[in-house]
Amino acid sequence: MTALAALTGHYLRASFGNKFSLAFGALQPFLYLVLFGPLFARSGVGSWEVLVPGLLVQLGLTSAGMAGFGIVFDHRFGVLERLRVTPVSRVTLLLGRVLRDTVVLLIQAVAIILVAWALGLRAPLAGVLPALLLAGVLAVGMASLSYAAALTIRQELFAPVMSTVVVPLMLLSGALLPMSLAPAWLDVVSRLTPFRYAVEGLRALFAGSYASSALLWGVVVSLAFAVVGVALGTRRFQTENA
Amino acid sequence: MIHARGLTKTFGPVEAVRGIDLDVSAGEIVGFLGPNGAGKTTTLRMLTTLLRPTSGTATVAGADLFADPAAVRRRIGYVAQGGAFAPFSPVGEELVLQARLYGMSRRQARERVTTLLAELDLPGVEERTTVTMSGGQKRRLDIAMGLLHRPELLFLDEPTTGLDPQSRANLWDHVRRLRERDGLTVFLTTHYLEEADALCDRVLIIDHGRIVAAGTPGELKSAHGARTLDDVFLAVTGRELREEAAA
Ligand SMILES: Nc1ncnc2c1ncn2[C@@H]1O[C@H](COP(=O)(O)OP(=O)(O)O)[C@@H](O)[C@H]1O
Ligand SMILES: [Mg+2]
């Protein structure tokens, strides 16, 4: 517990020491919000309450999804090895980083919601707060997978591979346009990705439909995603990497 | 302090370590010598729980490597060949974090870091990053990192490689002092054989993943009618260590 707090605190201080990187992780969803949102809200497809949940999932993919980038350097400079030689459990070594990434994502998410509010978003607080929680769960899974990927693929490939993988995942989630508009085949493919369920769960919360099956599925799939992500990430911290 | 039997490690087709037996007693300084690629780092990474042996058994600092790796980790310090600091973070913060991972409170950790840095002739470097430090300073900083939790056994992987002769001598003085004052057991690798001769109670010579000679420097030299450990290496392997280290 002390170890987890020490690690998370250490990484948070490092992140807040670099405000640029805090803002950078949220840049893409922010651009979509400001430059695409007004268009979307007038398109007749949906309102701000439909778009913003999608942008939160996009944020999970771009912000938490690129978290692994930082561990590439720790690996190269021997920092990771020095942490692995301490008695701290491997899952704690992972979670220290992941909790930092989750806190960072939540701060970015709040900033996006506030700007969206200024632009015209109206959603019940009773839906927005649990939506943040759900986004946090998604971030735990996404950041963990990102670390697992960073410790698995060749270092120089991590950034290009991850930034490419994120694009189809985001498009298939229906974050930008609801999948109800999709042809049948695309709808089927989309249902194979976890983010589809997260987007719909978040939309249900923003719409105030707390008893919907979309919300239930969103919660179940996001939790399962986080568990799988942490398990895979921990495995990579356990196994040797020279 | 270390008892290992039949340790091996293969990486795909590469047999890096081919059956090593080791016994190191408490308070000894043991040198693990051999050319580049001999398997020194691989052996150290196995003994420090960082790498799973392909086969073999070992107890390290009284704990079984496989059954209780966490106990091994609590009792040993490890200074890796490549160092332990990223160049962009103040070294004090990294040291305090590491100390806290061994269970110290923030205050205990800060005090321990201050004392240890002073002992290693690095007073007040907390706010600096390693970019501004000399090779010798960086290496002492790595050693501070390995000593934070007062381990019984310290592994040093090539602590002096790349340092000038003066910094090397200085570093060995620190190692000697640690053994004399704290009874620390030290297991180190190096390919400066004349320094190993002067510093180590015992040396093990490893070549192609096997131990090819073991004993006190005196024993080895008289057994092979050699004047230096370099000559011993030449006698047991038929090759010059120095040329390979340079290659
Ligand atoms: N992670 C690894 N994957 C594949 N081969 C490795 C790995 N680590 C070491 N080796 C190989 O194992 C052998 C021993 O390496 P090492 O233990 O680093 O030697 P030394 O430290 O004595 O220079 C070398 O042939 C090296 O290339
Ligand atoms: Mg080596």
Side-chain angles (χ1 to χ4, degrees), chain A residues 4 16 42 71 73 84 94 100 105 121 125 128-130 187 193 226:
Chain A
L4 184 59
F16 285 113
R42 295 177 60 176
I71 211 171
F73 295 97
R84 288 178 66 236
L94 172 73
R100 178 268 313 268
L105 176 127
L121 170 74
L125 200 61
V128 171
L129 291 180
D187 186 46
T193 74

Side-chain angles (χ1 to χ4, degrees), chain A residues 24-100:
Chain A
F24 194 75
L27 185 61
Q28 272 196 37
F30 188 78
L31 289 176
Y32 275 94
L33 178 71
V34 176
L35 303 179
F36 174 70
L39 207 66
F40 182 85
R42 295 177 60 176
S43 67
V45 175
S47 55
W48 289 104
E49 294 75 45
V50 173
L51 180 65
V52 173
L55 296 185
L56 294 184
V57 170
Q58 184 186 22
L59 179 67
L61 286 164
T62 57
S63 172
M66 295 310 281
F69 199 57
I71 211 171
V72 170
F73 295 97
D74 276 6
H75 185 200
R76 189 177 304 160
F77 290 114
V79 176
L80 196 56
E81 185 125 307
R82 150 201 133 199
L83 297 173
R84 288 178 66 236
V85 89
T86 67
V88 174
S89 78
R90 314 293 102 163
V91 67
T92 303
L93 291 179
L94 172 73
L95 286 182
R97 290 170 195 271
V98 167
L99 288 186
R100 178 268 313 268

Side-chain angles (χ1 to χ4, degrees), chain A residues 10 13 81-82 86-87 240, chain B residues 45 73 84 94 98 106:
Chain A
H10 178 81
R13 273 192 298 281
E81 185 125 307
R82 150 201 133 199
T86 67
E240 50 212 51
Chain B
R45 295 185 72 237
R73 290 180 189 131
E94 298 293 323
Q98 190 83 356
R106 174 167 278 282

Side-chain angles (χ1 to χ4, degrees), chain B residues 17 27 37 49:
Chain B
V17 174
T49 78

Side-chain angles (χ1 to χ4, degrees), chain B residues 8-245:
Chain B
T8 70
K9 181 70 195 181
T10 46
F11 297 105
V14 181
E15 291 182 65
V17 174
R18 311 172 183 224
I20 279 191
D21 298 341
L22 280 176
D23 291 285
V24 174
S25 320
E28 274 192 304
I29 298 183
V30 174
F32 198 41
L33 320 176
N36 277 332
K40 302 183 296 294
T41 298
T42 304
T43 305
L44 253 59
R45 295 185 72 237
M46 289 195 282
L47 294 172
T48 53
T49 78
L50 292 169
L51 201 58
R52 196 169 180 80
T54 307
S55 64
T57 59
T59 39
V60 178
D64 188 279
L65 196 57
F66 295 91
D68 199 358
V72 173
R73 290 180 189 131
R74 265 192 297 278
R75 297 174 199 166
I76 62 162
Y78 171 57
V79 178
Q81 186 167 358
F85 288 84
F88 35 76
S89 188
V91 300
E93 284 179 25
E94 298 293 323
L95 287 162
V96 167
L97 170 67
Q98 190 83 356
R100 297 195 67 200
L101 298 185
Y102 288 100
M104 288 179 227
S105 72
R106 174 167 278 282
R107 209 174 56 94
Q108 287 170 323
R110 284 226 185 86
E111 284 172 10
R112 177 73 182 140
V113 168
T114 310
T115 322
L116 203 49
L117 287 177
E119 280 178 19
L120 288 162
D121 298 330
L122 293 165
V125 299
E126 281 94 333
E127 300 298 321
R128 291 167 61 183
T129 63
T130 54
V131 211
T132 64
M133 296 190 186
S134 72
Q137 287 177 316
K138 275 192 242 180
R139 237 27 201 138
R140 276 180 277 137
L141 204 56
D142 291 332
I143 291 179
M145 185 68 93
L147 290 174
L148 285 167
H149 57 300
R150 300 184 176 83
E152 305 160 32
L153 167 63
L154 184 66
F155 291 91
L156 297 172
D157 198 359
E158 313 244 358
T160 55
T161 299
L163 301 187
D164 59 78
Q166 202 182 339
S167 311
R168 276 173 10 214
N170 170 278
L171 200 110
W172 294 135
D173 284 341
H174 280 290
V175 171
R176 245 183 233 115
R177 196 177 46 77
L178 285 164
R179 192 263 294 271
E180 271 150 35
R181 199 194 59 184
D182 305 335
L184 186 68
T185 310
V186 182
F187 190 71
L188 62 91
T189 75
T190 179
H191 52 245
Y192 296 112
L193 298 194
E194 69 282 16
E195 292 177 9
D197 193 346
L199 176 77
C200 298
D201 305 316
R202 240 157 23 89
V203 298
L204 307 166
I205 299 181
I206 177 173
D207 191 35
H208 295 306
R210 284 203 182 85
I211 292 179
V212 294
T216 68
E219 281 166 11
L220 287 181
K221 283 184 285 187
S222 59
H224 295 278
R227 209 168 36 79
T228 65
L229 282 182
D230 288 275
D231 295 338
V232 172
F233 186 83
L234 180 65
V236 291
T237 66
R239 307 193 315 280
E240 295 268 1
L241 176 67
R242 217 166 279 277
E243 289 164 13
E244 297 188 27

Side-chain angles (χ1 to χ4, degrees), chain A residues 84 90-91 231 233-241, chain B residues 49-50:
Chain A
R84 288 178 66 236
R90 314 293 102 163
V91 67
T234 305
R235 263 183 78 92
R236 288 310 302 160
F237 266 75
Q238 252 151 11
T239 32
E240 50 212 51
N241 32 70
Chain B
T49 78
L50 292 169

Side-chain angles (χ1 to χ4, degrees), chain A residues 135-239:
Chain A
V137 172
L138 208 60
V140 168
M142 199 60 217
S144 300
L145 284 179
S146 184
Y147 290 118
L151 295 177
T152 306
I153 61 185
R154 290 227 315 272
Q155 294 180 357
E156 62 277 19
L157 289 182
F158 175 78
V161 166
M162 283 307 275
S163 50
T164 310
V165 164
V166 152
V167 174
L169 285 177
M170 186 194 53
L171 292 173
L172 286 171
S173 73
L176 296 182
L177 288 172
M179 273 294 157
S180 51
L181 300 172
W185 69 267
L186 191 59
D187 186 46
V188 170
V189 177
S190 149
R191 283 188 190 284
L192 299 177
T193 74
F195 307 102
R196 161 81 184 259
Y197 303 92
V199 169
E200 291 185 347
L202 289 168
R203 283 192 179 130
L205 284 170
F206 272 62
S209 31
Y210 306 124
S212 57
S213 66
L215 177 56
L216 180 68
W217 277 111
V219 170
V220 168
V221 171
S222 300
L223 282 173
F225 177 70
V227 169
V228 170
V230 170
L232 287 176
T234 305
R235 263 183 78 92
R236 288 310 302 160
F237 266 75
Q238 252 151 11
T239 32

